Amino acid sequence: MKPPAFPEGKRFAFSIVDDTDVATVANVGPIYELLKALGMRTTKTVWPFRWHGEGSNFASSETLEDPAYLAFVQRLAVDGFEIASHGATMESSDRATTEAAIERHRALFGTVPRLYVNHSFNQENVYWGTDRLDDLVLKRLYARVNGKPAGYYQGHVPGSPWWWGDLCRSHHEYVRNMTFSSLNVLRANPSMPYVDPSRPLVRSWFSSADADDCREFIDLVTPERVDQLEAEGGVCIISTHLGKRYVENGRVHPQVERALRDIARRPGWFVPVSPLLDWLRSQQPKDTAGSLPSGEWRRMQWRWAIDLVRRRLQRSR
Ligand SMILES: [Zn+2]
């Protein structure tokens, strides 16, 4: 595939989607300072609301209800970072709460989030769990390992208390589905962003590379892989949780800092994910824009599954 010619004469693109799990001003503030200083603008997801129940794995996270965190995120928006949605809060939310969260976002930032990312086991997730997949073999395998029964995720199911698919379609332009282990996402999904007619409540889907935490980021973003990304003229979007040990004692992990500085000194295009996807879409041939060839989709599902198993095995070591 011919590499795209990026704006401003840049030779590759690099961005991050930061899922907001366990994030606080203290544990992500310094890495955003670094990204800003390096001229990188990325995408940060947020939760507008606190969760008032007990026993959440994400209870240490700050939300837009925390004044210092809100001020921090509003500053990021002013500085050119994209503020996106990770749902209303860290556990499942009914339709009214999700709708209120979207309106809260609009009140705080003047606009609704263009990009949304499903979160963990939230039941309002759209097309999540086995509904992410069409391959029957993978659906069956995933149902066994995923720990939730088919039909558990219901954001896209009209009549369910978790239904908000119509709001997802009307408010959000981009939703993430598949994640992979290679930096250049166009290798796995050259047609992104794409439309999936069988999942009509999402306007456009995108894929990304995946690094759960700081350790996985360091393992993924090696100078050799960045050399390859640059040589291929690739597009790298990394899904990660910047709240997971990227910052310790107020300092960005030195290996992460080294990796980001290495990328920043190269001729890359460092914009948030939505403008990057807008631009990719503008480059698609008019007659096939947004369509995903069935062979590409079949390969994506298998590659996603294989990469997922590999990452899980590495984590368990
Ligand atoms: Zn999450």
Side-chain angles (χ1 to χ4, degrees):
M1 192 190 62
K2 190 168 134 311
F6 292 95
E8 303 160 28
K10 304 297 188 188
R11 302 233 297 269
F12 68 101
F14 175 86
S15 195
I16 295 173
V17 186
D18 171 21
D19 289 7
T20 195
D21 311 20
V22 306
T24 63
V25 179
N27 71 18
V28 300
I31 190 146
Y32 278 100
E33 274 305 309
L34 176 64
L35 289 168
K36 185 182 156 192
L38 294 175
M40 293 177 167
R41 296 297 183 272
T42 59
T43 296
K44 181 183 184 344
T45 66
V46 293
W47 285 317
F49 299 142
R50 264 184 212 143
W51 192 65
H52 297 284
E54 284 176 20
S56 174
N57 288 335
F58 311 99
S60 64
S61 318
E62 290 176 345
T63 71
L64 302 179
E65 290 196 70
D66 296 289
Y69 181 82
L70 170 60
F72 162 71
V73 176
Q74 286 182 315
R75 186 75 237 161
L76 288 181
V78 169
D79 286 336
F81 288 88
E82 176 179 28
I83 309 305
S85 170
H86 206 25
T89 188
M90 57 202 76
E91 300 292 336
S92 301
S93 296
D94 61 17
R95 179 185 177 87
T97 308
T98 299
E99 192 164 21
I102 293 168
E103 288 315 313
R104 184 70 184 143
H105 192 109
R106 194 201 304 268
L108 294 171
F109 298 97
T111 171
V112 298
R114 298 190 67 213
L115 185 146
Y116 162 77
V117 180
N118 288 317
H119 167 67
S120 189
F121 298 127
N122 280 14
Q123 283 196 264
E124 80 277 17
N125 289 344
V126 291
Y127 307 113
W128 203 235
T130 55
D131 289 338
R132 297 171 80 165
L133 300 162
D134 288 325
D135 188 290
L136 292 176
V137 175
L138 289 176
K139 265 169 115 68
R140 225 169 289 145
L141 288 172
Y142 193 50
R144 271 198 218 155
V145 297
N146 183 41
K148 299 289 178 197
Y152 180 82
Y153 300 102
Q154 297 176 10
H156 53 289
V157 180
S160 159
W162 315 110
W163 155 248
W164 70 288
D166 55 333
L167 303 175
C168 181
R169 170 137 197 122
S170 59
H171 291 303
H172 304 318
E173 184 64 40
Y174 297 115
V175 179
R176 187 187 67 211
N177 187 2
M178 298 291 164
T179 60
F180 306 102
S181 296
S182 71
L183 277 192
N184 181 6
V185 185
L186 295 185
R187 274 177 162 235
N189 185 193
S191 303
M192 86 171 187
Y194 62 92
V195 175
D196 178 349
S198 65
R199 294 174 178 79
L201 299 166
V202 166
R203 275 194 245 165
S204 294
W205 293 97
F206 70 99
S207 304
S208 74
D210 183 79
D212 182 62
D213 60 7
C214 177
R215 188 73 255 161
E216 291 191 15
F217 183 93
I218 291 166
D219 290 345
L220 178 68
V221 187
T222 60
E224 298 72 32
R225 289 217 181 98
V226 179
D227 285 346
Q228 192 184 8
L229 173 72
E230 183 180 342
E232 290 175 352
V235 169
C236 176
I237 296 171
I238 297 186
S239 289
T240 190
H241 304 92
L242 291 179
K244 291 190 177 176
R245 294 178 293 280
Y246 280 80
V247 173
E248 277 179 336
N249 302 318
R251 283 212 48 198
V252 176
H253 192 293
Q255 281 176 274
V256 171
E257 179 162 349
R258 206 173 309 142
L260 289 172
R261 286 190 185 281
D262 172 44
I263 295 167
R265 69 173 176 76
R266 299 170 189 251
W269 193 40
F270 307 129
V271 293
V273 176
S274 288
L276 176 52
L277 294 172
D278 290 344
W279 180 80
L280 279 174
R281 185 156 58 190
S282 77
Q283 302 301 299
Q284 294 173 341
K286 290 277 168 289
D287 50 335
T288 55
S291 70
L292 181 66
S294 58
E296 183 177 333
W297 175 230
R298 204 175 321 117
R299 285 190 297 276
M300 280 167 66
Q301 292 172 79
W302 278 94
R303 182 149 186 190
W304 167 81
I306 291 164
D307 285 358
L308 188 69
V309 169
R310 261 197 218 136
R311 286 196 302 271
R312 290 208 174 162
L313 287 173
Q314 270 161 3
R315 270 172 220 169
S316 63
R317 257 190 237 142

